Amino acid sequence: MLNAMHHAVQAAANALRAARRIAVLTGAGISAESGLRTFRSAAAPDLPPDMQALWKEFDPQTLATPEAFAANPDLVTRWYDWRRIGCLAAEPNAGHLALAELERGLVQSDGSYTLLTQNVDRLHQRAGSRNVVELHGTIIVWRCTRCGEETEPAPEPMTEFPPRAPCCRDPRALLRPDVVWFGEALPDCALRAASDAAESCDVFMSIGTSSMVYPAAAFVLQAAANGARTVEINPDPTPISPRMDWSIRAKAGDALPRIVELMRTG
Ligand code: OAD
């Protein structure tokens, strides 16, 4: 690791070790090392189109809005089911595991830890993280468009598109992924939990997110305004990088295990 980066990693570990309350925000970048595609990472000319960031191959307006679902539920649910199967096939990586270890250590010493994630893949929970706030919902659960009843579809590709909701007799009742689409509000309880964590934390870490999507991108700035130390982990710079105490230009799967080890050993 380069000297400047080593310094930032050490400084972040020191701040985290001294902290009683830690908040973390993650985005698609933390799951990249599990093989899941991000939405808008920098162009990677050596990668084939089906490995590029999702919004380079697909149009969010025709796939990730309530209007798109109303106009073409077949297309939208096929796309989300394809992604759901990809998430189920993926495994948590060293970054997810390191965050779960960080939480366990902090909770054992009576500290508080909140993990805000924009990811819908459930990899944090599978890695052992407990206090996870899903800001954008989850693709693993789907819900009825009529009564809202939630269901966890079987871990194999669906066979009927758009999928009919089993709970309601009305043939217009469909299943949709329990995710937040562009133009939809984030769940109130998630917003409250995120705001509380940002207001009260000693350290806020922003990991693997382009910080382009609001309100998620605002929480780290809210934390900074309340006096928290701030850490970013991302191989590429983002709009918030200049405002961070420490910007670590590295992959989450490299930086996080190192930080957690330094928190333990000093
Ligand atoms: P983005 O795809 O916008 O950003 C991913 C970020 O991860 C980029 O800044 C990459 O540089 C960084 N990255 C890539 N590999 C990494 C690695 N190994 N370690 C650390 N960082 C890495 O993803 P999000 O910021 O999560 O919303 O996107 C936010 C929201 O926009 C998503 O939740 C989704 C999307 O449209 C909806 O679908 C509503």
Short mmCIF file of all heavy atoms in Angstrom, two decimals, residues 39-93:
data_model
loop_
_atom_site.label_atom_id
_atom_site.label_comp_id
_atom_site.label_asym_id
_atom_site.label_seq_id
_atom_site.Cartn_x
_atom_site.Cartn_y
_atom_site.Cartn_z
N PHE A 39 -23.64 0.31 -10.65
CA PHE A 39 -24.56 1.02 -11.54
C PHE A 39 -23.84 2.01 -12.44
O PHE A 39 -24.20 2.21 -13.58
CB PHE A 39 -25.63 1.77 -10.71
CG PHE A 39 -26.51 0.83 -9.96
CD1 PHE A 39 -26.24 0.48 -8.65
CD2 PHE A 39 -27.59 0.23 -10.59
CE1 PHE A 39 -27.04 -0.42 -7.96
CE2 PHE A 39 -28.39 -0.67 -9.93
CZ PHE A 39 -28.11 -1.00 -8.61
N ARG A 40 -22.82 2.69 -11.88
CA ARG A 40 -22.22 3.78 -12.66
C ARG A 40 -20.74 3.98 -12.36
O ARG A 40 -20.27 5.10 -12.32
CB ARG A 40 -23.01 5.09 -12.45
CG ARG A 40 -23.20 5.49 -11.02
CD ARG A 40 -23.93 6.79 -10.88
NE ARG A 40 -25.37 6.67 -11.03
CZ ARG A 40 -26.20 6.13 -10.15
NH1 ARG A 40 -25.73 5.62 -9.02
NH2 ARG A 40 -27.50 6.09 -10.37
N SER A 41 -19.99 2.89 -12.21
CA SER A 41 -18.55 3.04 -11.99
C SER A 41 -17.89 3.62 -13.24
O SER A 41 -18.47 3.57 -14.33
CB SER A 41 -17.91 1.69 -11.68
OG SER A 41 -18.35 1.24 -10.43
N ALA A 42 -16.66 4.09 -13.08
CA ALA A 42 -15.90 4.62 -14.22
C ALA A 42 -15.81 3.55 -15.31
O ALA A 42 -15.83 2.35 -15.01
CB ALA A 42 -14.50 4.98 -13.74
N ALA A 43 -15.73 4.01 -16.58
CA ALA A 43 -15.68 3.06 -17.70
C ALA A 43 -14.48 2.12 -17.54
O ALA A 43 -13.41 2.53 -17.11
CB ALA A 43 -15.56 3.83 -19.00
N ALA A 44 -14.70 0.86 -17.88
CA ALA A 44 -13.61 -0.12 -17.84
C ALA A 44 -13.53 -0.72 -19.24
O ALA A 44 -14.19 -1.73 -19.53
CB ALA A 44 -13.93 -1.19 -16.79
N PRO A 45 -12.73 -0.10 -20.13
CA PRO A 45 -12.75 -0.48 -21.55
C PRO A 45 -12.39 -1.94 -21.78
O PRO A 45 -12.80 -2.53 -22.79
CB PRO A 45 -11.69 0.43 -22.18
CG PRO A 45 -11.18 1.32 -21.11
CD PRO A 45 -11.78 0.95 -19.81
N ASP A 46 -11.66 -2.55 -20.86
CA ASP A 46 -11.26 -3.94 -21.07
C ASP A 46 -12.38 -4.93 -20.71
O ASP A 46 -12.28 -6.12 -21.01
CB ASP A 46 -10.00 -4.25 -20.25
CG ASP A 46 -10.07 -3.70 -18.83
OD1 ASP A 46 -10.73 -2.64 -18.64
OD2 ASP A 46 -9.49 -4.31 -17.93
N LEU A 47 -13.48 -4.45 -20.10
CA LEU A 47 -14.55 -5.37 -19.73
C LEU A 47 -15.59 -5.50 -20.85
O LEU A 47 -15.92 -4.51 -21.51
CB LEU A 47 -15.27 -4.87 -18.47
CG LEU A 47 -14.52 -4.99 -17.14
CD1 LEU A 47 -15.39 -4.44 -16.02
CD2 LEU A 47 -14.16 -6.44 -16.86
N PRO A 48 -16.14 -6.71 -21.08
CA PRO A 48 -17.22 -6.84 -22.07
C PRO A 48 -18.47 -6.12 -21.58
O PRO A 48 -18.61 -5.87 -20.37
CB PRO A 48 -17.45 -8.36 -22.13
CG PRO A 48 -16.88 -8.90 -20.86
CD PRO A 48 -15.80 -7.96 -20.42
N PRO A 49 -19.42 -5.78 -22.50
CA PRO A 49 -20.60 -4.99 -22.11
C PRO A 49 -21.37 -5.63 -20.97
O PRO A 49 -21.89 -4.92 -20.09
CB PRO A 49 -21.45 -4.98 -23.39
CG PRO A 49 -20.51 -5.31 -24.50
CD PRO A 49 -19.39 -6.09 -23.93
N ASP A 50 -21.43 -6.96 -20.92
CA ASP A 50 -22.25 -7.57 -19.87
C ASP A 50 -21.54 -7.62 -18.52
O ASP A 50 -22.05 -8.21 -17.57
CB ASP A 50 -22.73 -8.97 -20.30
CG ASP A 50 -21.59 -9.95 -20.50
OD1 ASP A 50 -20.41 -9.53 -20.46
OD2 ASP A 50 -21.88 -11.15 -20.68
N MET A 51 -20.37 -6.98 -18.42
CA MET A 51 -19.70 -6.84 -17.12
C MET A 51 -19.58 -5.37 -16.73
O MET A 51 -19.13 -5.04 -15.64
CB MET A 51 -18.29 -7.44 -17.17
CG MET A 51 -18.25 -8.92 -17.47
SD MET A 51 -18.82 -9.88 -16.08
CE MET A 51 -17.45 -9.65 -14.96
N GLN A 52 -19.96 -4.46 -17.64
CA GLN A 52 -19.87 -3.02 -17.35
C GLN A 52 -20.93 -2.64 -16.31
O GLN A 52 -21.84 -3.42 -16.01
CB GLN A 52 -20.12 -2.20 -18.62
CG GLN A 52 -19.12 -2.41 -19.72
CD GLN A 52 -17.79 -1.67 -19.48
OE1 GLN A 52 -17.70 -0.83 -18.60
NE2 GLN A 52 -16.79 -1.99 -20.27
N ALA A 53 -20.81 -1.41 -15.79
CA ALA A 53 -21.81 -0.91 -14.84
C ALA A 53 -23.20 -1.01 -15.48
O ALA A 53 -23.36 -0.79 -16.68
CB ALA A 53 -21.48 0.53 -14.47
N LEU A 54 -24.21 -1.35 -14.65
CA LEU A 54 -25.55 -1.65 -15.17
C LEU A 54 -26.14 -0.51 -15.99
O LEU A 54 -26.73 -0.73 -17.04
CB LEU A 54 -26.49 -1.99 -14.02
CG LEU A 54 -26.30 -3.38 -13.40
CD1 LEU A 54 -27.05 -3.47 -12.07
CD2 LEU A 54 -26.74 -4.49 -14.35
N TRP A 55 -25.99 0.73 -15.49
CA TRP A 55 -26.63 1.85 -16.21
C TRP A 55 -25.89 2.23 -17.49
O TRP A 55 -26.30 3.12 -18.21
CB TRP A 55 -26.82 3.07 -15.32
CG TRP A 55 -27.76 2.90 -14.14
CD1 TRP A 55 -27.70 3.61 -12.97
CD2 TRP A 55 -28.90 2.05 -14.00
NE1 TRP A 55 -28.71 3.22 -12.12
CE2 TRP A 55 -29.46 2.26 -12.72
CE3 TRP A 55 -29.52 1.08 -14.82
CZ2 TRP A 55 -30.59 1.59 -12.24
CZ3 TRP A 55 -30.65 0.39 -14.34
CH2 TRP A 55 -31.16 0.65 -13.08
N LYS A 56 -24.80 1.52 -17.79
CA LYS A 56 -24.17 1.70 -19.11
C LYS A 56 -24.83 0.78 -20.13
O LYS A 56 -24.88 1.06 -21.31
CB LYS A 56 -22.68 1.42 -19.03
CG LYS A 56 -21.89 2.47 -18.27
CD LYS A 56 -20.41 2.28 -18.51
CE LYS A 56 -19.49 3.06 -17.63
NZ LYS A 56 -19.92 4.24 -16.94
N GLU A 57 -25.34 -0.37 -19.66
CA GLU A 57 -25.99 -1.31 -20.59
C GLU A 57 -27.51 -1.14 -20.61
O GLU A 57 -28.15 -1.38 -21.64
CB GLU A 57 -25.63 -2.76 -20.20
CG GLU A 57 -26.15 -3.78 -21.20
CD GLU A 57 -25.89 -5.23 -20.78
OE1 GLU A 57 -25.17 -5.46 -19.78
OE2 GLU A 57 -26.41 -6.14 -21.46
N PHE A 58 -28.08 -0.74 -19.47
CA PHE A 58 -29.55 -0.67 -19.35
C PHE A 58 -29.98 0.77 -19.04
O PHE A 58 -29.21 1.53 -18.46
CB PHE A 58 -30.04 -1.60 -18.24
CG PHE A 58 -29.67 -3.04 -18.44
CD1 PHE A 58 -28.61 -3.61 -17.74
CD2 PHE A 58 -30.37 -3.83 -19.34
CE1 PHE A 58 -28.26 -4.95 -17.93
CE2 PHE A 58 -30.03 -5.16 -19.53
CZ PHE A 58 -28.98 -5.72 -18.83
N ASP A 59 -31.26 1.06 -19.37
CA ASP A 59 -31.78 2.41 -19.13
C ASP A 59 -32.64 2.41 -17.86
O ASP A 59 -33.68 1.75 -17.83
CB ASP A 59 -32.63 2.81 -20.35
CG ASP A 59 -33.36 4.12 -20.11
OD1 ASP A 59 -32.96 4.87 -19.20
OD2 ASP A 59 -34.34 4.38 -20.84
N PRO A 60 -32.22 3.16 -16.83
CA PRO A 60 -32.99 3.15 -15.58
C PRO A 60 -34.43 3.62 -15.76
O PRO A 60 -35.33 3.15 -15.07
CB PRO A 60 -32.21 4.10 -14.66
CG PRO A 60 -31.24 4.84 -15.53
CD PRO A 60 -31.01 4.00 -16.74
N GLN A 61 -34.66 4.53 -16.73
CA GLN A 61 -36.02 5.05 -16.92
C GLN A 61 -36.98 3.96 -17.40
O GLN A 61 -38.19 4.03 -17.14
CB GLN A 61 -36.03 6.20 -17.93
CG GLN A 61 -35.36 7.47 -17.43
CD GLN A 61 -35.87 7.89 -16.06
OE1 GLN A 61 -37.06 7.85 -15.79
NE2 GLN A 61 -34.95 8.25 -15.18
N THR A 62 -36.49 2.97 -18.12
CA THR A 62 -37.40 1.92 -18.62
C THR A 62 -37.38 0.67 -17.74
O THR A 62 -38.07 -0.31 -18.04
CB THR A 62 -37.05 1.51 -20.07
OG1 THR A 62 -35.67 1.16 -20.13
CG2 THR A 62 -37.32 2.64 -21.05
N LEU A 63 -36.57 0.71 -16.65
CA LEU A 63 -36.48 -0.48 -15.80
C LEU A 63 -36.67 -0.20 -14.31
O LEU A 63 -37.07 -1.10 -13.57
CB LEU A 63 -35.10 -1.15 -15.98
CG LEU A 63 -34.89 -1.81 -17.34
CD1 LEU A 63 -33.42 -2.13 -17.55
CD2 LEU A 63 -35.73 -3.09 -17.45
N ALA A 64 -36.39 1.00 -13.87
CA ALA A 64 -36.34 1.24 -12.42
C ALA A 64 -37.20 2.42 -12.00
O ALA A 64 -36.79 3.25 -11.19
CB ALA A 64 -34.88 1.43 -11.98
N THR A 65 -38.41 2.50 -12.58
CA THR A 65 -39.36 3.55 -12.17
C THR A 65 -40.76 2.91 -12.08
O THR A 65 -41.02 1.90 -12.76
CB THR A 65 -39.45 4.70 -13.20
OG1 THR A 65 -39.97 4.17 -14.42
CG2 THR A 65 -38.10 5.35 -13.46
N PRO A 66 -41.67 3.50 -11.28
CA PRO A 66 -43.04 2.98 -11.24
C PRO A 66 -43.71 3.07 -12.61
O PRO A 66 -44.50 2.20 -12.98
CB PRO A 66 -43.76 3.90 -10.24
CG PRO A 66 -42.72 4.73 -9.59
CD PRO A 66 -41.44 4.62 -10.36
N GLU A 67 -43.36 4.09 -13.39
CA GLU A 67 -43.96 4.25 -14.73
C GLU A 67 -43.52 3.10 -15.64
O GLU A 67 -44.31 2.58 -16.43
CB GLU A 67 -43.53 5.60 -15.35
CG GLU A 67 -44.07 6.82 -14.64
CD GLU A 67 -43.31 7.16 -13.35
OE1 GLU A 67 -42.17 6.67 -13.16
OE2 GLU A 67 -43.87 7.90 -12.51
N ALA A 68 -42.25 2.72 -15.53
CA ALA A 68 -41.76 1.61 -16.36
C ALA A 68 -42.49 0.32 -16.00
O ALA A 68 -42.91 -0.45 -16.88
CB ALA A 68 -40.26 1.42 -16.14
N PHE A 69 -42.71 0.10 -14.70
CA PHE A 69 -43.42 -1.11 -14.26
C PHE A 69 -44.86 -1.10 -14.76
O PHE A 69 -45.38 -2.13 -15.21
CB PHE A 69 -43.35 -1.20 -12.73
CG PHE A 69 -44.07 -2.39 -12.15
CD1 PHE A 69 -43.63 -3.68 -12.39
CD2 PHE A 69 -45.21 -2.21 -11.36
CE1 PHE A 69 -44.29 -4.79 -11.86
CE2 PHE A 69 -45.87 -3.30 -10.81
CZ PHE A 69 -45.41 -4.59 -11.06
N ALA A 70 -45.52 0.06 -14.69
CA ALA A 70 -46.91 0.16 -15.16
C ALA A 70 -46.98 -0.09 -16.66
O ALA A 70 -47.90 -0.76 -17.15
CB ALA A 70 -47.48 1.54 -14.82
N ALA A 71 -45.99 0.40 -17.41
CA ALA A 71 -46.03 0.29 -18.87
C ALA A 71 -45.63 -1.11 -19.33
O ALA A 71 -46.18 -1.62 -20.31
CB ALA A 71 -45.09 1.32 -19.49
N ASN A 72 -44.67 -1.71 -18.66
CA ASN A 72 -44.17 -3.00 -19.13
C ASN A 72 -43.73 -3.89 -17.95
O ASN A 72 -42.53 -4.12 -17.72
CB ASN A 72 -42.98 -2.77 -20.09
CG ASN A 72 -42.70 -4.01 -20.92
OD1 ASN A 72 -43.10 -5.12 -20.55
ND2 ASN A 72 -41.99 -3.84 -22.02
N PRO A 73 -44.72 -4.40 -17.19
CA PRO A 73 -44.38 -5.19 -16.00
C PRO A 73 -43.62 -6.48 -16.36
O PRO A 73 -42.81 -6.97 -15.56
CB PRO A 73 -45.74 -5.51 -15.37
CG PRO A 73 -46.74 -5.30 -16.45
CD PRO A 73 -46.17 -4.26 -17.36
N ASP A 74 -43.86 -6.99 -17.54
CA ASP A 74 -43.16 -8.21 -17.98
C ASP A 74 -41.65 -7.95 -18.04
O ASP A 74 -40.84 -8.65 -17.41
CB ASP A 74 -43.72 -8.62 -19.35
CG ASP A 74 -43.13 -9.93 -19.85
OD1 ASP A 74 -41.89 -10.02 -19.91
OD2 ASP A 74 -43.89 -10.84 -20.17
N LEU A 75 -41.27 -6.91 -18.78
CA LEU A 75 -39.85 -6.57 -18.94
C LEU A 75 -39.20 -6.26 -17.58
O LEU A 75 -38.12 -6.77 -17.26
CB LEU A 75 -39.72 -5.35 -19.86
CG LEU A 75 -38.30 -4.79 -20.01
CD1 LEU A 75 -37.49 -5.66 -20.95
CD2 LEU A 75 -38.32 -3.34 -20.51
N VAL A 76 -39.88 -5.43 -16.79
CA VAL A 76 -39.29 -4.98 -15.52
C VAL A 76 -39.11 -6.15 -14.57
O VAL A 76 -38.05 -6.31 -13.95
CB VAL A 76 -40.16 -3.86 -14.89
CG1 VAL A 76 -39.71 -3.55 -13.47
CG2 VAL A 76 -40.10 -2.60 -15.76
N THR A 77 -40.11 -7.02 -14.45
CA THR A 77 -39.98 -8.13 -13.49
C THR A 77 -38.97 -9.18 -13.99
O THR A 77 -38.27 -9.78 -13.18
CB THR A 77 -41.34 -8.78 -13.17
OG1 THR A 77 -42.00 -9.14 -14.39
CG2 THR A 77 -42.22 -7.85 -12.35
N ARG A 78 -38.88 -9.36 -15.30
CA ARG A 78 -37.84 -10.27 -15.82
C ARG A 78 -36.46 -9.75 -15.44
O ARG A 78 -35.58 -10.52 -15.02
CB ARG A 78 -37.91 -10.39 -17.35
CG ARG A 78 -38.91 -11.38 -17.85
CD ARG A 78 -38.91 -11.44 -19.38
NE ARG A 78 -40.14 -12.03 -19.83
CZ ARG A 78 -40.37 -13.35 -19.89
NH1 ARG A 78 -39.43 -14.19 -19.55
NH2 ARG A 78 -41.54 -13.79 -20.29
N TRP A 79 -36.25 -8.44 -15.59
CA TRP A 79 -34.94 -7.85 -15.31
C TRP A 79 -34.61 -7.97 -13.83
O TRP A 79 -33.51 -8.35 -13.44
CB TRP A 79 -34.92 -6.38 -15.76
CG TRP A 79 -33.55 -5.78 -15.76
CD1 TRP A 79 -32.53 -6.04 -16.62
CD2 TRP A 79 -33.04 -4.81 -14.83
NE1 TRP A 79 -31.43 -5.29 -16.29
CE2 TRP A 79 -31.71 -4.52 -15.20
CE3 TRP A 79 -33.59 -4.15 -13.72
CZ2 TRP A 79 -30.90 -3.61 -14.51
CZ3 TRP A 79 -32.78 -3.24 -13.04
CH2 TRP A 79 -31.46 -2.99 -13.44
N TYR A 80 -35.59 -7.68 -12.98
CA TYR A 80 -35.33 -7.77 -11.53
C TYR A 80 -35.16 -9.22 -11.08
O TYR A 80 -34.37 -9.50 -10.18
CB TYR A 80 -36.43 -7.05 -10.73
CG TYR A 80 -36.09 -5.59 -10.58
CD1 TYR A 80 -36.56 -4.66 -11.50
CD2 TYR A 80 -35.26 -5.14 -9.56
CE1 TYR A 80 -36.20 -3.32 -11.40
CE2 TYR A 80 -34.90 -3.81 -9.45
CZ TYR A 80 -35.38 -2.90 -10.37
OH TYR A 80 -35.01 -1.57 -10.27
N ASP A 81 -35.87 -10.14 -11.74
CA ASP A 81 -35.68 -11.54 -11.35
C ASP A 81 -34.29 -12.02 -11.76
O ASP A 81 -33.63 -12.75 -11.00
CB ASP A 81 -36.75 -12.44 -11.97
CG ASP A 81 -36.77 -13.80 -11.30
OD1 ASP A 81 -36.75 -13.83 -10.04
OD2 ASP A 81 -36.74 -14.82 -12.00
N TRP A 82 -33.81 -11.58 -12.91
CA TRP A 82 -32.45 -11.90 -13.35
C TRP A 82 -31.43 -11.38 -12.33
O TRP A 82 -30.49 -12.08 -11.93
CB TRP A 82 -32.23 -11.29 -14.74
CG TRP A 82 -30.81 -11.26 -15.20
CD1 TRP A 82 -30.04 -12.33 -15.55
CD2 TRP A 82 -29.98 -10.09 -15.36
NE1 TRP A 82 -28.78 -11.89 -15.93
CE2 TRP A 82 -28.73 -10.53 -15.82
CE3 TRP A 82 -30.20 -8.72 -15.17
CZ2 TRP A 82 -27.67 -9.65 -16.09
CZ3 TRP A 82 -29.15 -7.84 -15.43
CH2 TRP A 82 -27.91 -8.31 -15.88
N ARG A 83 -31.64 -10.15 -11.85
CA ARG A 83 -30.72 -9.60 -10.86
C ARG A 83 -30.86 -10.32 -9.51
O ARG A 83 -29.88 -10.54 -8.80
CB ARG A 83 -30.97 -8.10 -10.69
CG ARG A 83 -30.41 -7.31 -11.89
CD ARG A 83 -30.48 -5.82 -11.65
NE ARG A 83 -29.93 -5.44 -10.38
CZ ARG A 83 -30.40 -4.46 -9.60
NH1 ARG A 83 -31.42 -3.73 -10.01
NH2 ARG A 83 -29.85 -4.19 -8.43
N ARG A 84 -32.11 -10.67 -9.15
CA ARG A 84 -32.33 -11.40 -7.89
C ARG A 84 -31.54 -12.71 -7.86
O ARG A 84 -30.86 -13.02 -6.87
CB ARG A 84 -33.84 -11.69 -7.72
CG ARG A 84 -34.21 -12.47 -6.46
CD ARG A 84 -35.71 -12.72 -6.40
NE ARG A 84 -36.14 -13.74 -7.35
CZ ARG A 84 -36.26 -15.04 -7.07
NH1 ARG A 84 -35.99 -15.49 -5.84
NH2 ARG A 84 -36.66 -15.90 -7.99
N ILE A 85 -31.59 -13.43 -8.98
CA ILE A 85 -30.87 -14.70 -9.04
C ILE A 85 -29.36 -14.47 -8.94
O ILE A 85 -28.65 -15.21 -8.27
CB ILE A 85 -31.24 -15.46 -10.35
CG1 ILE A 85 -32.73 -15.84 -10.32
CG2 ILE A 85 -30.38 -16.68 -10.56
CD1 ILE A 85 -33.15 -16.72 -9.14
N GLY A 86 -28.88 -13.39 -9.55
CA GLY A 86 -27.46 -13.03 -9.44
C GLY A 86 -27.07 -12.74 -7.99
O GLY A 86 -26.01 -13.17 -7.52
N CYS A 87 -27.93 -12.03 -7.28
CA CYS A 87 -27.64 -11.71 -5.87
C CYS A 87 -27.62 -12.98 -5.02
O CYS A 87 -26.76 -13.15 -4.14
CB CYS A 87 -28.68 -10.74 -5.30
SG CYS A 87 -28.62 -9.11 -6.05
N LEU A 88 -28.56 -13.88 -5.28
CA LEU A 88 -28.62 -15.12 -4.49
C LEU A 88 -27.39 -16.00 -4.76
O LEU A 88 -26.94 -16.72 -3.88
CB LEU A 88 -29.90 -15.90 -4.82
CG LEU A 88 -31.21 -15.28 -4.31
CD1 LEU A 88 -32.42 -16.01 -4.89
CD2 LEU A 88 -31.26 -15.31 -2.77
N ALA A 89 -26.86 -15.92 -5.98
CA ALA A 89 -25.71 -16.76 -6.33
C ALA A 89 -24.39 -16.17 -5.81
O ALA A 89 -23.40 -16.88 -5.70
CB ALA A 89 -25.63 -16.92 -7.85
N ALA A 90 -24.40 -14.87 -5.47
CA ALA A 90 -23.17 -14.22 -5.02
C ALA A 90 -22.89 -14.58 -3.55
O ALA A 90 -23.80 -14.93 -2.81
CB ALA A 90 -23.31 -12.71 -5.17
N GLU A 91 -21.63 -14.45 -3.17
CA GLU A 91 -21.23 -14.70 -1.77
C GLU A 91 -20.66 -13.41 -1.19
O GLU A 91 -19.99 -12.65 -1.89
CB GLU A 91 -20.14 -15.78 -1.71
CG GLU A 91 -20.59 -17.17 -2.13
CD GLU A 91 -21.62 -17.76 -1.18
OE1 GLU A 91 -21.63 -17.36 0.01
OE2 GLU A 91 -22.42 -18.60 -1.64
N PRO A 92 -20.87 -13.19 0.12
CA PRO A 92 -20.25 -12.02 0.76
C PRO A 92 -18.73 -12.08 0.59
O PRO A 92 -18.16 -13.18 0.56
CB PRO A 92 -20.63 -12.17 2.24
CG PRO A 92 -21.76 -13.13 2.28
CD PRO A 92 -21.66 -13.99 1.07
N ASN A 93 -18.09 -10.93 0.48
CA ASN A 93 -16.64 -10.90 0.31
C ASN A 93 -15.96 -10.35 1.57
O ASN A 93 -16.61 -10.07 2.59
CB ASN A 93 -16.28 -10.09 -0.95
CG ASN A 93 -16.66 -8.63 -0.82
OD1 ASN A 93 -16.30 -7.96 0.14
ND2 ASN A 93 -17.42 -8.12 -1.79
#
